[in-house]
Amino acid sequence: MASSDSDDGIYTERTALVPAPSYRPNDTPTTRNRVNAPRGGASAADGRVLEAEEEEEELTLKYGAKHVIMLFVPVTLCMAVVVATIKSVSFYSEKSDQQLIYTPFTENTASVGRRLLNSVLNSLVMTSVIVIMTVFLVLLYKYRCYKFIHGWLIVSSLMLLFMFSFMYLGEVFKTYNVAVDIPTVLVLVWNFGAVGMICIHWKGPLALQQLYLILISALMALVFIKYLPEWSAWVILGAVSIYDLLAVLCPKGPLRMLVETAQERNEPIFPALIYSSAMAWTVGMATPSDTQRSDTVCLHLVIRRKRVSVCVFIVCVCGGEAVCVYLLYVCVCVCACVGGVKLGLGDFIFYSVLVGKASVTADWNTTLACFIAILIGLCVTLVLLAVWRKALPALPLSVTFGLVFYFSTDFLVRPFMDSLSDHQFYI
Amino acid sequence: MNLERLPNEEKLGLCRKYYLIGFAFLPFLWLVNVVWFFQEAFIKPAYSEQLQIKSYVKRSALGLLVWVTVLTTWITIFQRFRAEWGEVGDYISFTIPLGTP
């Protein structure tokens, strides 16, 4: 969803209670040096004062390539975890009769038309739930109910880290047919969950925090793959990307309003539920007096210190033997800031859902094609981010490419390749 | 978060908190403590708080070792003798393998 840079780092720094150095204009050469440092001694790091605009161009373009690559790694990792689980643990690819209450229409109907209609209705229900939750969140943020939001975030990450990982562990043990005793399982889940909470919501090594975010995204994606009906999943993917596009780019979109409110207040929002690719050695939070300085470099940096972590929580209850609480993080903005690039967890989740569904229902050709498509989409989105320099939705392009590649590979390329190999005709 | 940006007292405070919280049955946290502060404690040139950080890292490592030993022993015993324990074995099992051994 959102790629942003420094904010994430600053955000995690915030929880470290470290007074970030406030920006001073006479620090400009140093700051620029520090910012340029991760790019391996870029030419601007010699302390010369360049024109502010040139400087900004350089910063933007130079960080683009490196951070695109830095985002490829976690996205790939998340998808790899999801696909590996689906291929080995059959639980997540088995059809179940339980459905989330957010997809109330069943797909076990006789006619194709009815099934299509039901899946469209399911996606409408799901999207409207997401819209309502987003608006609710924006209202909470606007009226400064930070404690509520914090509590909500903590409860949801508790659920993800403990309940879903417990389920996951149980299924993995059943798949490999090992006997495990309850005390060991309790120790394992307790350790995983508690350290996760500490890393995500308090202070912890950056690498571990990133790993945990990847893992919880993968867990969430697996839950979706299991409990969303076949056709509904594809339609939901399409609908959520359209919603993403509208919410972030339209003037009255909730996420855009959130971004703007955050910009106005120039303050950090929630605990890091966005993935950050860079360490935070960026400019610290500006004090109000700094923002009024006429120094253009300072202004540019301040403007770009947007914080765009938007998380929509949807608590879903599934009927059946257990009450499961599903939480959906839908972070739907891409934002570029000095220092690194951030991507929201919702994006990880939906990318992994796409690739995971492809690996459930189709063969490896299709899975790899979807994977490549998503990476291409991510690349293009980040290039656009570098050019436009404002919050952008990360879902639409990737999901569009992914869907196009999935359906074309599944219906066109695969039969073609199969009949080629049947006739022993190599191209 | 980056340890480099923290002042030394805060590093010590963090190391100490990780060590203390690890007593809540969290050997994994002790592992994280050891790995994260290893460079600070043993490789960096000496500074005033380093001695205490070193001691916390060593104690965390010791606690981790104890936990690993206990867990390994218990798991070995359980795997070896689970079938012979009959009902008690089933009662404390989370997953019971299917099929014949």
Side-chain angles (χ1 to χ4, degrees), chain B residues 11-29:
Chain B
K11 282 185 212 165
L12 176 63
L14 196 60
C15 191
R16 186 168 169 273
K17 285 196 191 125
Y18 264 56
Y19 168 67
L20 291 175
I21 299 176
F23 277 105
F25 298 94
L26 289 172
F28 188 34
L29 198 62

Side-chain angles (χ1 to χ4, degrees), chain A residues 87-376:
Chain A
K87 290 295 184 189
S88 51
V89 179
S90 58
F91 172 75
Y92 288 103
S93 37
E94 284 163 3
K95 275 296 116 204
S96 89
D97 291 329
Q98 288 180 336
Q99 279 188 214
L100 304 174
I101 61 167
Y102 293 99
T103 51
F105 297 95
T106 175
E107 284 195 10
N108 293 330
T109 53
S111 74
V112 172
R114 181 87 205 160
R115 188 174 182 187
L116 193 62
L117 180 68
N118 279 354
S119 43
V120 171
L121 291 172
N122 275 338
S123 71
L124 280 175
V125 172
M126 185 73 140
T127 317
S128 48
V129 169
I130 293 178
V131 170
I132 294 170
M133 300 301 266
T134 320
V135 168
F136 182 50
L137 190 78
V138 171
L139 286 174
L140 281 178
Y141 182 65
K142 258 197 142 80
Y143 294 112
R144 299 178 189 267
C145 309
Y146 295 144
K147 286 217 178 306
F148 190 88
I149 297 177
H150 277 297
W152 200 5
L153 275 175
I154 288 182
V155 166
S156 58
S157 40
L158 262 174
M159 289 294 172
L160 263 176
L161 283 170
F162 288 102
M163 251 186 62
F164 288 172
S165 58
F166 184 73
M167 263 173 59
Y168 180 83
L169 210 59
E171 292 308 322
V172 167
F173 289 144
K174 281 185 203 150
T175 305
Y176 292 106
N177 213 24
V178 290
V180 187
D181 55 305
I182 294 179
T184 310
V185 166
L186 286 179
V187 167
L188 284 174
V189 171
W190 168 240
N191 271 273
F192 178 77
V195 177
M197 291 300 288
I198 290 173
C199 281
I200 295 175
H201 293 281
W202 191 49
K203 311 171 203 177
L206 183 67
L208 198 62
Q209 184 191 13
Q210 290 173 337
L211 192 67
Y212 266 106
L213 292 176
I214 292 172
L215 288 176
I216 64 179
S217 308
L219 279 175
M220 195 68 228
L222 284 168
V223 163
F224 274 141
I225 293 170
K226 168 121 182 115
Y227 289 109
L228 286 180
E230 294 266 353
W231 291 13
S232 304
W234 297 111
V235 183
I236 284 171
L237 273 171
V240 171
S241 2
I242 295 174
Y243 163 70
D244 193 5
L245 195 66
L246 295 173
V248 176
L249 293 179
C250 287
K252 279 299 166 193
L255 294 173
R256 181 154 168 170
M257 282 180 7
L258 194 81
V259 171
E260 281 160 11
T261 319
Q263 259 178 278
E264 280 164 35
R265 293 184 195 170
N266 201 24
E267 61 188 11
I269 310 184
F270 327 118
L273 281 167
I274 38 179
Y275 178 93
S276 166
S277 68
M279 307 280 262
W281 36 34
T282 53
V283 185
M285 294 302 288
T287 58
S289 57
D290 290 322
T291 58
Q292 281 132 32
R293 292 187 184 281
S294 55
D295 183 343
T296 45
V297 176
C298 171
L299 265 177
H300 282 294
L301 289 172
V302 166
I303 289 170
R304 288 161 63 176
R305 202 176 303 124
K306 292 177 286 197
R307 184 166 306 278
V308 272
S309 47
V310 180
C311 312
V312 175
F313 294 88
I314 299 182
V315 176
C316 313
V317 177
C318 75
E321 69 267 359
V323 172
C324 307
V325 178
Y326 299 117
L327 304 138
L328 164 66
Y329 300 80
V330 179
C331 307
V332 286
C333 284
V334 163
C335 167
C337 302
V338 179
V341 181
K342 293 181 208 161
L343 193 63
L345 285 200
D347 295 329
F348 279 88
I349 293 173
F350 282 115
Y351 293 164
S352 307
V353 167
L354 202 153
V355 175
K357 270 249 159 288
S359 72
V360 168
T361 53
D363 63 342
W364 281 105
N365 281 333
T366 319
T367 312
L368 284 172
C370 289
F371 167 67
I372 302 285
I374 287 177
L375 287 187
I376 293 174

